[in-house]
Structures are given as C-alpha cells and as structure tokens.
C-alpha cells in the first residue's frame, strides 16, 4: 500500500503561526520509514542507498581518478572510517574519469556527534496545560471565533490541508541529545530518528574535522577541495522532483518532489510558502532567507497599494491641475533657447505632455507617501524581529549557539608562525598581529574609495553625455524629437547609465573578492560578512550615484541666460523643466529598476538552465568518455546531482544583496516614484518561485546549515531606513516643486488675504511667478530681440539691479530648509516611537519559553525517576521517591 507524505504531514504557511513543536519528527519518522521501505525496493534506480539497499547515503564526495593527491585522499578516507563513517565507491556512468565516494553514518556515530553538537531531539511525550484560562473562560470565545471563521470564505493563499504534510501541534518538547539519557527520547526507529538534513549536517561536521596529513592544520574537506584532492562534496537530493503520477492521487515520492509541487511550481505563485518543509530539507539558514523574503514581499502589499493610490490620485486630478493647465495654455510664453548655437526660442505650451506626466509623480500625495514609506520601513523591520523570534522558537534555535568555526586555510597558512591561545577553546591557534591587520584594512579601504571614485567618474561621463545629447536633441531636424528633447535626453542617458552600471558590477565583484582575500579574515563567517559589506557598498554607490546627481544636482548650478555655467567652457549645464526635475528622477528609477530586475532574473534562472542543458547534451553524447545515456531517469542520484550546478560560492550573499538593493530603491527615492513598491512586489512574487525552482531543480543540494538571523543584512537594512528619511526629505524639499508651490499659495498667490484656501485657486499664476525674464538683445551672437522666460527667481532686466535673486527665492530657500528639519525630526520621532511600542519578542512567546523551560525540568526529573524505579524493580531492590 502506497503511503504519501500528504497523508502524514501538513506544512505551516508564511503567516505568523503558533509553535509547531519538534515532536512532529515522530510523524516525519513514519514518512521516512515509508520512503525507506520504498527505496529498498528500487535502490538500483534511485541511488539513495549503498549497494546492499540498507545503508542510506548521507554525503557524496567526488574525485578524479587521475588526480595526483592519492595519498591525501587515502589517508582522509581511512580516518573517516576510523571516525565511524562507512564509505563505498562508485564510478560515474557519464564520465570515466569521475569516481563517487558514498558516505554513510552509522547509528553510534550519529549519536556520538549529535551529543557533541548539542542537537535537540524530540523528548518523551508529556501533556501539560500551559494556560488554564484557555481551558475555561477562553474556550467558549475560541469556539465562537472558529464558528465565525468557518462562515467566512476560505483564504486562497493558504495551502490545502491535503496538499502538504500534516505537522500538527503536539505536546512534545525537545532537549539536547544525550547518549546517557537516550531512554528519555522518542526513538521508534533508529533509521529515521535523525532526519536526512540532520544526518548530512553531522557528516559534514565530521568531514570538516578529519585529518588528511600530520599537522595541526591538515584537516577538513574544505582544504581538500581547495587543493583539488576532491572535485566536490555535497549531500544528495532525495530523488527526482517529478513524477509520472499526479501528486493528489499517488502522493509525493519524496520531500524534493513535494517541494517542487507545493512550492517551486509557477502555478502556485499566490500560495504561502511551506517554511517548515523548506527548513527541513535545506536547513535553517536557507529557511530564514525565504522566510525573510516572504515577509518582505507580504509587507510590500500595503506599500504598493498606497503607491498605486497616490499615482491614481495624480492621474485622476491631472486635467484639473492648475500648473499643467497654465503650461498647456501658455501659447504666448516664449522660453529661452536650450543651447547657444543652433537652438531657437520655444513656447512653453510645447511641453504640455511633459508637465502632465510630471504631475503624476509630483502632487499633493508625495509628502504623505514619503512619510508613510519611512514609517513602513520601521514597521517592516520591527515586525520582522518578532517573526524571526517566532521562527527561532519553532525551529529550536533559541538555545542554539554557533559552533566555534574552524579557521580558514588561507589564514592558517599565512599566520602559522605566530600563535596564541584561543580564549574559547583554550587551544593554540595562528594569530594575526594588530599592525598587520590594520595595514591590510587600510589597503582595503583605499581600494574601496578608489572603486567609488571610479563610479563617480562614470557618473561624470554620463553627465557629459547628457549635456551633449541635450544640445543635439534640442536642435534636431526631426520635429518630434526636437519637441520632446527632454524625454529623449533623459531616456538615452538612463539607458547608457544602465549599461555602465551592469558592466561595472562585474568588475566590482572581482575587486571585492580580491580585497576581502587581501584582508585574510579569520573564519568563513567573517569572510562572508566582509565580502557582503563591500559588495553592498560598491553596488549601492554604483546603482544610486547617478540618481543622487539627478535628484540633488541637476539644474541647481545651471546659471541664467547670458551667464550660463559651462562644463569645460563648452557645454551648458542642464536645467530643469518649468514643471520641475522630478520627472527625470522618476524616469531614472523606473528604467533602472525594471531592466535590472529582468537581468537579475535571467542570470539567476536562465544561466543555470543553459549550463544544465549543456551538461545534459554532453552527457547524452558521452562527451566525458562514459556511457551514452539516453534516459536521464536511468542515472543514479549521485550522477544526476553531479551534473547540476553547485550553489553559488558566496552562499546567500547574492540573493540577499539583490533584495537589499531593491529595498533601498523602494524606500530611498520613493517620493519621486510611488510605483516602486508595486514593481518590487511583482518582482518578488516571481523571485520567490524562481529561487525555489532554482534550489529544487537546478542546484545541487546545499549543506543544511543553521542560523538564527539574517546576519549583517539586518544592520544594512536599518541603515537604509535612516538614509531613506533623509533623502526623501531632500527630494520633497529640493527636487520636487512642493515647497515653491506651498510658499506661493500662502505668501504670493491670490489666496493670501482669504480665509478659505482652495488648492487650484491659490495656485493661479504660479507658473508665471516661477519664471524670470531675460532680454535676448543681450546675447551677442543672435540677431533676436524681445524677452524670453527661464526657470528661476530673479529680478527682470529693467530692475535697478537686474537678474539678482528676488525675495521669493529666499523665502523658498528658507521654507525648504525648515521643511527638511521638521520632516526629519517628525519622521525620526515617529519611527523611534513605533520601534519602542513594538517589542522584539511577543509577550506570549516569552511566557511560552519560560513555561517550557520549567516543564522540561519537571519532565527530566520525572523521566529520570521513572527510569531509576524500573531499574530497581528489575534488580529486586526497594526504591524510594527521591532524586537519585
């Protein structure tokens, strides 16, 4: 009789949930037992067991037969056997030069290292009521809530009960495994007591600490991979991810198949993620990444809705905008030429479309949306802390302490001559002197500043291109281009800038890798944090430097007609359109965000697909000298996994980096582009399934690692949240026309002496007020006379002091500075208050943790007493009810 996972387990979704205690391993044990029995009947085809069909493969080592490191490999494998691991070799069916070493951990070895690694396992079952109120007063209330909930329509985002394993809550707890108290743990089957991911983690622990030569540092699989003794080392996938039979009728063949059907398929893009199943298969570190990505995506929904409402508000009120009306009706307003030589004066009404598009993103909702997004960023991070606390409790990570990491081989090789005692382990280890560390850090910082200066040079080149393009488009022979020279200049400039950004990203990754290795970090986690920080700095500056230029420098130093500031005394600096510079910033953000997301998605999925297709093509042709395998299903699992792509060498750095940069784009300049959260939401819905498909089908199974948080990325996200408040304050005050309109309405407009203010009525005459007058007769190289208008607050030529700044200019400047100060203090105050109100850990979770700790002590006492009583009964001795 075929037993499916769907009949045994049920996965919890992405939403915040109650604790599913790890006694669920008892239910998973039944599933693993079923799969084990099924696997024994098809060992030849599945490749999940040794040749005897009994010993499960926990790890795969791959080496080339012609490798010269034979002695090291033999010594290493001999020591692995001495540690209690069982090895079996198998040649590849697709490449005659490849040999696989299958690794199996025996029960005694698993128990030994589970105790050393303090792995928590399900403790004996015991029922306690943790909340008496829930059994008395609260029972009727909960019953009524369930009745009301049953009347409501079912949430379509929830996964079906029959679709996923049934991980029901139990009254079991977990405790660090101990061989001396093995009788306390729920062991129904030794073969399935330790999950596959736990077994792989234990074997990886042994591989990392087994010697291959005499010497203190001559140990570990990482060093053997580095010197090409082995080509690869990875835990095997649990079989294929596809089945000829539908999962609803025949159930899932294995956890990988279940993950593909209920997580990685595009058809279920709207469903919650099965986080517990992801964690069980890939480990807590990858599980936390997808939990964070899902939480971020869910929090983007309200931000996207508010952004769409702000955009729709601008769209619906665009025709009634007083400023757009005045610009579109300004048929007699002559504007000054945009260039010195071939450009002619133009009428303001020619830019009617430009003014209307600008209003879509620069309207009354801009300030509200900027404040909302600053608060949203704080709420997102604070509630993520709570969600992380719940996950670490559910996944038994509360008391988990990261193991003392082994030193990187490069660090040991460099500093093996100088040693000091490790304060944690008490053992001597290589030591990096402070002077050497400081000098290397200074070189690394210098390299970072050099690369940042390279970015600024690239931005300067784009600025020069925009100046040249502006002059050419403004004097273009084609009337359509000449009329829309603003869009043509901004569009071509953004496209050129995007190509430069993507090209420099390739260079930055190599430079960051070089500088990080130059620092010689002590451990792998230190190396990863240092590399992640450099990659973020490089790509953040690369991505946002041109955006900062458009937001805060474009049009600020252009000068005035007759006295324009010129670059290299040749090209006139750009000036803003009469309706403002915000549309240039909006176009820059929209184009870069859209095309960058498309490119990232292609590189994440398209590139591995092409690589795997090429590997399958060579495999079918027998390119490696092996057998010509037409049907991939005939290959054992180790051969299939070997032909998949390894997980990125940088781990999850690239995955987090992409999302953190997107978070910055979504918050830092969101006042200029309210549709950014919507684009981010649509991208992330695709990103979740794309990453899931990649992990399940295109990559080898990564080693299931543990982690309690997202690491250095949380601090970076908090820094971006602070920067977002500052930049949005400056965007509203300086880039947008919100402050000049506000000053005009309350100081210079027709509503100054009226008690009641109406928006459009108070802005009558604003465009004329924001344009200054210039006498074209002052230009020596033109045979033109009369007056033209330009965007500035300057006195007319007939004034006693022509072209000096007017009083309105100083009023606007003072209002801008005041707005920046008030906005920043207000938003930072609200952010701090919200952060204070939201505790990092829910109160009920704290109570449950304290209650569980107390109950564990009680259960340990009773279990030990019960065991002692049984022993004394067996020996015929009298016993008393006291602690032994």
């Amino acid at each position: 009789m075929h037993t499916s996972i769907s009949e045994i387990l049920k996965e919890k979704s992405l939403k915040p949930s109650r604790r599913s205690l790890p006694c669920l391993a008892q239910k998973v044990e039944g599933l693993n037992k079923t799969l084990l029995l099924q696997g024994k009947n098809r060992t030849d085809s599945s490749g999940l067991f040794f040749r005897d069909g009994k010993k499960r493969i926990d790890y795969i080592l791959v080496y080339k037969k012609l490798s010269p490191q034979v002695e090291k490999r033999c010594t290493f494998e001999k020591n692995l056997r001495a540690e209690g691991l069982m090895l079996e070799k198998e040649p590849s069916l697709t490449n005659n030069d490849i040999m696989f070493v299958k690794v199996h951990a025996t029960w005694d070895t698993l128990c030994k290292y589970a105790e050393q690694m303090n792995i928590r396992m399900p403790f004996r079952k015991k029922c306690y009521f943790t909340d008496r109120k829930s059994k008395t007063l609260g029972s009727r209330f909960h019953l009524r809530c369930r009745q009301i909930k049953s009347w409501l329509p079912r949430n379509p985002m929830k996964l079906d009960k029959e679709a996923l394993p049934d991980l029901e809550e139990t009254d079991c707890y977990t405790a660090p495994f101990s061989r001396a108290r093995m009788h306390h743990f729920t062991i129904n089957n030794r073969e399935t007591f330790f999950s596959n991911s736990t077994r792989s983690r234990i074997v990886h622990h042994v591989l990392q600490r087994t010697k291959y030569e005499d010497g203190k540092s001559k140990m570990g699989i990482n060093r053997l991979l580095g010197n090409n003794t082995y080509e690869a080392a990875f835990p095997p996938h649990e079989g294929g991810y596809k089945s000829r039979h539908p999962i609803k009728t025949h159930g899932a063949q294995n956890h990988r198949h279940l993950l593909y059907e209920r997580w990685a398929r595009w058809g279920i893009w709207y469903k919650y993620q099965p986080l517990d199943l992801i964690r069980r298969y890939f480990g807590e570190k990858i599980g936390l990444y997808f939990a964070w990505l899902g939480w971020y995506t869910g929090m983007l929904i309200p931000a996207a809705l508010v952004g769409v409402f702000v955009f729709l508000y601008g769209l619906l009120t665009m025709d009634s905008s007083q400023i757009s009306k005045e610009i579109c009706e300004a048929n007699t307003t002559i504007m000054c030429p945009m260039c010195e030589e071939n450009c002619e004066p133009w009428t303001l009404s020619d830019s009617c479309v430009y003014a209307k598009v600008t209003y879509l993103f620069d309207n009354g909702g801009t300030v509200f949306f900027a404040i909302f997004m600053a608060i949203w960023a704080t709420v997102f991070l604070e509630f993520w802390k709570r969600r992380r606390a719940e996950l670490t409790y559910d996944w038994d990570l509360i008391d988990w302490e990261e193991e003392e990491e082994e030193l990187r081989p490069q660090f040991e090789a460099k500093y093996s001559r100088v040693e000091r005692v490790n304060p944690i382990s008490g053992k001597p280890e290589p030591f990096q002197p402070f002077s050497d560390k400081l000098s290397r850090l200074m070189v690394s910082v210098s390299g970072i500043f050099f690369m940042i200066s390279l970015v600024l040079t690239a931005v300067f080149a784009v600025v020069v291109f925009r100046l040249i393009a502006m002059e050419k488009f403004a004097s273009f022979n084609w009337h359509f281009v000449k009329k829309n020279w603003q869009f043509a200049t901004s569009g071509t400039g953004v496209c050129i800038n995007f190509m430069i950004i993507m090209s420099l990203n390739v260079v930055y990754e190599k430079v960051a890798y070089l500088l990080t290795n130059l620092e010689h970090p002590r451990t792998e986690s230190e190396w990863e944090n240092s590399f992640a920080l450099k990659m973020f700095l490089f790509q953040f500056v690369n991505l946002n430097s041109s955006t900062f230029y458009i937001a805060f420098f474009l049009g600020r130093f252009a000068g005035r007609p007759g006295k324009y500031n010129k670059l290299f005394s040749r090209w006139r600096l750009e000036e803003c359109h009469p309706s403002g510079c915000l549309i240039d910033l909006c176009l820059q953000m929209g184009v870069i965000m859209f095309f960058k997301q498309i490119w990232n998605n292609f590189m994440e999925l398209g590139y591995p697909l092409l690589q795997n297709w090429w590997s399958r093509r060579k495999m079918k042709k027998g390119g490696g000298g092996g057998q010509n395998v037409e049907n991939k299903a005939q290959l054992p699992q180790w051969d299939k996994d070997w032909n998949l792509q390894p997980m990125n060498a940088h781990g999850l750095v690239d995955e987090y980096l992409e999302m953190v940069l997107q978070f910055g784009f979504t918050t830092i300049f969101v006042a200029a582009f309210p549709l950014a959260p919507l684009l981010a939401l649509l991208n992330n819905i695709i990103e979740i399934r794309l990453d899931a498909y990649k992990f399940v089908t295109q990559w080898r199974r990564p080693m299931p690692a543990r982690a309690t948080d997202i690491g250095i990325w949380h601090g970076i996200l908090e820094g971006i949240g602070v920067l977002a408040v500052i930049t949005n304050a400056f965007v509203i005050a300086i880039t947008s026309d919100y402050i000049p309109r506000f000053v005009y309405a309350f100081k210079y407009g027709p509503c100054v002496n009226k008690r009641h203010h109406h928006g459009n009525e108070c802005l009558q005459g604003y465009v004329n007020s924001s344009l200054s007058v210039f006498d074209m007769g002052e230009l020596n190289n033109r045979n033109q006379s009369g007056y033209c208008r330009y965007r500035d607050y300057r006195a007319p030529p007939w004034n006693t002091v022509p072209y000096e700044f007017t009083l309105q200019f100083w009023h606007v400047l003072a209002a801008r500075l005041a707005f920046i100060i008030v906005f920043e203090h207000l938003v930072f105050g609200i952010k701090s208050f919200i952060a204070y109100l939201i505790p990092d850990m829910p109160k009920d979770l704290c109570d449950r943790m304290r209650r569980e700790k107390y109950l564990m002590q009680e259960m340990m006492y009773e279990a030990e007493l019960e065991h002692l009583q049984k022993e004394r009964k067996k020996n015929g001795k009298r016993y008393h009810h006291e602690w032994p």
Side-chain angles (χ1 to χ4, degrees):
M1 180 177 177
H2 183 77
T3 305
S4 67
I5 301 180
S6 305
E7 297 168 355
I8 302 173
L9 306 164
K10 171 182 115 200
E11 188 67 49
K12 292 189 301 180
S13 59
L14 178 62
K15 65 176 184 177
S17 58
R18 295 174 300 166
R19 186 180 187 199
S20 178
L21 295 170
C23 196
L24 57 89
Q26 298 174 45
K27 296 179 179 286
V28 179
E29 205 171 307
L31 163 68
N32 291 338
K33 185 176 181 180
T34 302
L35 294 177
L36 183 65
L37 293 174
Q38 294 173 358
K40 290 180 180 180
N41 297 327
R42 49 186 172 84
T43 53
D44 294 337
S45 60
S46 68
L48 298 176
F49 296 86
F50 276 29
R51 296 190 192 98
D52 60 5
K54 297 180 181 179
K55 302 179 185 67
R56 175 172 289 275
I57 300 174
D58 299 317
Y59 226 85
I60 299 290
L61 305 178
V62 186
Y63 69 88
K64 288 184 177 181
K65 296 177 183 178
L66 301 179
S67 172
Q69 309 286 356
V70 178
E71 185 177 350
K72 292 180 180 178
R73 186 172 63 249
C74 291
T75 305
F76 183 68
E77 293 173 2
K78 178 183 176 183
N79 292 335
L80 288 178
R81 291 188 179 95
E83 290 291 335
L85 299 182
M86 302 185 72
L87 309 181
E88 185 177 80
K89 295 188 177 181
E90 198 82 39
S92 172
L93 297 180
T94 60
N95 192 326
N96 289 335
D97 189 34
I98 294 297
M99 183 68 75
F100 297 102
V101 180
K102 297 176 286 185
V103 184
H104 168 77
T106 61
W107 170 254
D108 292 336
T109 304
L110 291 172
C111 292
K112 172 186 174 183
Y113 283 99
E115 184 175 10
Q116 288 184 14
M117 298 168 67
N118 287 321
I119 295 177
R120 299 179 70 89
M121 299 304 294
F123 197 65
R124 61 183 298 170
K125 191 172 182 179
K126 193 77 175 180
C127 293
Y128 291 91
F129 299 133
T130 58
D131 190 356
R132 293 183 178 178
K133 292 183 180 180
S134 65
K135 290 291 177 182
T136 55
L137 301 176
S139 58
R140 293 182 180 179
F141 174 75
H142 288 302
L143 182 61
R144 290 293 176 87
C145 288
R146 289 195 194 99
Q147 290 177 348
I148 296 174
K149 194 175 181 180
S150 64
W151 298 336
L152 298 175
R154 184 177 176 278
N155 185 356
M157 298 175 71
K158 283 186 177 180
L159 289 159
D160 300 330
K161 289 185 178 180
E162 64 274 9
L164 272 186
D166 192 11
L167 303 181
E168 294 181 353
E169 286 191 343
T170 67
D171 51 3
C172 294
Y173 298 95
T174 61
F177 185 78
S178 170
R179 287 178 291 178
R181 296 181 176 181
M182 194 179 297
H183 51 276
H184 295 172
F185 296 90
T186 310
I187 305 176
N188 297 326
N189 188 334
R190 288 188 173 188
E191 295 295 326
T192 56
F193 178 65
F194 294 104
S195 66
N196 291 338
S197 59
T198 302
R199 294 173 68 100
S200 298
R201 191 153 55 89
I202 291 173
V203 172
H204 181 77
H205 178 88
V206 177
L207 293 175
Q208 291 283 56
R209 288 157 178 78
T210 301
K211 289 189 175 184
Y212 57 87
E213 278 184 0
D214 293 332
K216 287 180 290 185
S217 62
K218 305 295 185 180
M219 66 171 63
I221 187 64
N222 287 345
R223 294 176 178 83
L224 294 176
L225 291 172
N227 59 28
N228 296 323
T229 302
Y230 289 98
E231 298 296 316
F234 52 87
H237 277 296
E238 296 181 9
Y241 63 89
K242 285 187 177 181
S243 174
R244 291 176 296 177
H245 307 290
I247 191 173
K248 288 186 177 180
T249 57
H250 290 72
Q253 290 184 336
N254 51 66
H255 287 133
R256 188 188 185 196
H257 180 212
L258 182 62
L259 278 170
Y260 176 76
E261 290 291 337
R262 302 307 181 195
W263 181 46
R265 281 195 310 111
W266 297 102
I268 55 172
W269 60 269
Y270 58 94
K271 296 285 188 181
Y272 290 129
Q273 296 184 92
L275 290 180
D276 287 336
L277 192 60
I278 297 169
R279 167 247 180 171
R280 190 185 310 126
Y281 194 82
F282 291 110
E284 286 79 3
K285 190 172 185 178
I286 293 176
L288 273 175
Y289 163 71
F290 281 104
W292 176 83
L293 180 57
W295 186 261
Y296 171 44
T297 303
M299 290 292 291
L300 279 173
I301 295 176
L305 289 175
V306 175
V308 170
F309 287 147
V310 171
F311 178 78
L312 291 177
Y313 168 78
L315 186 65
L316 296 175
T317 60
M318 182 172 58
D319 292 333
S320 61
S321 169
Q322 181 64 30
I323 298 173
S324 299
K325 282 182 180 179
E326 291 186 5
I327 291 178
C328 293
E329 295 172 359
N331 297 319
T332 58
T333 303
I334 306 300
M335 301 298 293
C336 295
M338 294 305 301
C339 59
E340 301 289 335
E341 298 177 0
N342 301 321
C343 300
E344 299 293 333
W346 52 286
T347 56
L348 182 58
S349 59
D350 292 343
S351 60
C352 176
V353 175
Y354 200 88
K356 288 184 176 181
V357 173
T358 299
Y359 180 78
L360 289 176
F361 303 99
D362 189 6
N363 52 62
T366 302
V367 178
F368 161 75
F369 190 56
I371 296 176
F372 171 82
M373 287 303 295
I375 297 173
W376 172 87
T378 301
V379 172
F380 160 65
L381 291 175
E382 292 301 320
F383 275 99
W384 163 248
K385 292 178 185 177
R386 294 167 64 88
R387 176 62 176 149
R388 186 198 68 83
E390 291 177 350
L391 286 173
T392 53
Y393 177 72
D394 290 346
W395 294 351
D396 269 329
L397 297 171
I398 293 293
D399 297 326
W400 178 75
E401 294 183 2
E402 192 168 351
E403 301 173 25
E404 180 68 15
E405 285 190 87
E406 66 172 11
L407 302 179
R408 297 181 72 241
Q410 296 86 341
F411 180 87
E412 287 187 329
K414 181 69 177 177
Y415 301 105
S416 58
R417 296 181 180 178
V418 182
E419 290 187 347
R420 79 165 184 180
V421 177
N422 187 308
I424 307 300
S425 64
K427 299 177 181 179
E429 66 176 22
F431 172 69
Q432 182 181 16
F434 176 77
S435 58
D436 182 81
K437 187 174 183 178
L438 181 62
S439 61
R440 290 180 179 276
L441 187 62
M442 293 300 295
V443 173
S444 181
V445 171
S446 301
I448 292 174
F449 278 108
F450 173 77
M451 296 308 297
I452 291 176
S453 65
L454 183 62
V455 175
L456 300 179
T457 304
V459 172
F460 181 75
V462 174
V463 170
V464 173
F465 170 81
R466 288 175 64 103
L467 299 181
I468 299 173
M470 177 188 69
E471 186 176 309
K472 297 299 180 183
F473 287 135
S475 58
F476 211 71
N477 293 329
W478 190 8
H479 178 71
F480 177 78
V481 176
K482 185 175 182 179
K483 184 178 180 180
N484 298 282
W485 61 267
Q486 297 103 329
F487 283 115
T489 301
S490 299
T492 53
V494 170
C495 292
I496 297 273
N497 186 44
F498 174 75
M499 289 188 288
I500 292 176
I501 287 173
M502 301 312 296
S503 301
L504 288 178
N505 278 348
V506 179
V507 179
Y508 293 152
E509 182 173 352
K510 298 183 182 300
V511 173
Y513 192 83
L514 178 66
L515 293 177
T516 307
N517 285 335
L518 182 66
E519 293 176 8
H520 286 297
R522 180 175 171 272
T523 62
E524 287 295 335
S525 62
E526 291 180 10
W527 188 96
E528 185 175 317
N529 287 339
S530 179
F531 179 76
L533 183 61
K534 290 181 182 64
M535 285 295 293
F536 170 75
L537 288 175
F538 287 158
Q539 294 208 20
F540 180 81
V541 174
N542 187 30
L543 195 64
N544 292 285
S545 54
S546 56
T547 311
F548 271 89
Y549 162 75
I550 292 175
F552 305 128
F553 297 98
L554 180 64
R556 311 297 165 201
F557 311 101
R560 62 171 180 84
K563 197 177 180 181
Y564 280 116
N565 296 322
K566 295 183 179 182
L567 185 65
F568 302 134
S569 303
R570 170 65 180 86
W571 295 291
R572 241 178 68 182
L573 296 180
E574 281 186 273
E575 53 185 322
C576 293
H577 185 267
S579 58
C581 280
L582 204 67
I583 188 61
D584 294 276
L585 181 58
C586 174
L587 185 63
Q588 172 86 6
M589 291 184 62
V591 170
I592 290 181
M593 194 171 186
F594 178 75
F595 284 109
K596 190 174 188 300
Q597 289 178 167
I598 290 179
W599 175 258
N600 286 340
N601 290 338
F602 168 77
M603 291 302 295
E604 284 192 19
L605 182 61
Y607 188 63
L609 278 172
L610 289 175
Q611 287 181 310
N612 289 333
W613 170 81
W614 183 252
S615 297
R616 290 193 300 269
R617 186 172 179 271
K618 289 196 302 181
M619 185 174 62
K620 287 181 180 180
K621 291 184 176 181
Q627 302 176 22
N628 189 347
V629 182
E630 292 293 337
N631 188 3
K632 187 182 176 183
Q634 298 175 356
L635 289 175
Q637 190 60 46
W638 53 80
D639 247 323
K640 295 177 184 177
D641 290 352
W642 167 246
N643 287 292
L644 294 178
Q645 296 302 310
M647 185 178 175
N648 195 309
H650 307 141
L652 293 171
V653 170
D654 290 343
E655 312 297 331
Y656 276 115
L657 179 63
E658 179 186 354
M659 290 296 102
V660 169
L661 290 174
Q662 183 205 81
F663 178 81
F665 238 62
T666 306
T667 54
I668 291 178
F669 291 104
V670 74
F673 190 47
L675 294 180
L678 178 63
L679 287 181
L681 174 63
L682 296 176
N683 174 78
N684 287 7
I685 292 173
I686 298 172
E687 180 77 19
I688 289 176
R689 304 305 162 182
L690 188 148
D691 282 349
Y693 184 83
K694 180 175 61 179
F695 271 91
V696 173
T697 69
Q698 301 301 308
W699 279 359
R700 296 173 194 160
R701 186 178 183 180
M703 202 283 294
R706 307 200 87 188
T708 57
D709 53 33
I710 61 175
I712 194 175
W713 299 107
H714 190 273
I716 292 176
L717 289 171
E718 289 186 331
I720 290 176
V722 173
L723 181 62
V725 176
I726 300 172
T727 53
N728 281 302
F730 276 88
V731 166
I732 296 170
I734 295 176
T735 311
S736 77
D737 270 7
Y738 176 80
I739 299 301
R741 291 197 299 263
F742 183 84
V743 171
Y744 178 81
F746 288 92
K747 183 66 178 176
Y748 297 95
C751 298
V752 173
N753 298 321
K754 296 181 180 179
R755 292 184 178 181
H756 302 288
H757 296 258
H758 301 283
N760 287 335
E761 180 183 343
C762 296
L763 289 176
Q764 289 180 0
Y766 169 75
V767 173
N768 184 64
S769 173
S770 64
L771 298 176
S772 300
V773 181
F774 176 71
D775 185 2
M776 289 190 290
E778 297 182 17
L779 298 175
N780 298 326
N781 58 341
R782 291 184 180 271
N783 297 321
Q784 294 177 343
S785 60
Y787 298 105
C788 65
R789 310 296 296 273
Y790 62 99
R791 177 185 168 89
D792 210 341
Y793 295 103
R794 292 180 181 270
W798 56 80
N799 194 34
T800 53
V801 185
Y803 306 122
E804 73 170 356
F805 289 117
T806 62
L807 184 62
Q808 187 175 356
F809 169 84
W810 299 109
H811 283 163
V812 170
L813 180 62
R816 282 173 166 165
L817 296 176
F819 176 84
I820 292 172
I821 296 173
V822 172
F823 182 90
E824 288 183 356
H825 282 71
L826 174 65
V827 175
F828 277 132
I830 295 174
K831 283 168 65 72
S832 301
F833 182 66
I834 291 176
Y836 172 77
L837 287 180
I838 304 175
D840 293 349
M841 186 176 292
K843 185 179 183 301
D844 62 329
L845 180 60
C846 295
D847 295 339
R848 277 186 287 167
M849 289 172 57
R850 288 196 292 266
R851 177 66 174 167
E852 180 179 336
K853 187 175 181 179
Y854 168 76
L855 293 178
M856 278 299 304
Q857 294 174 349
E858 291 289 317
M859 285 191 292
M860 292 287 286
Y861 171 82
E862 293 182 12
E864 194 68 31
L865 184 61
E866 182 181 345
H867 175 68
L868 182 62
Q869 291 171 352
K870 288 181 180 179
E871 289 293 324
R872 289 183 174 178
K873 275 186 178 181
K874 185 186 298 185
N875 299 330
K877 296 180 180 180
R878 298 181 61 185
Y879 61 91
H880 304 280
H881 294 280
E882 76 275 358
W883 183 257

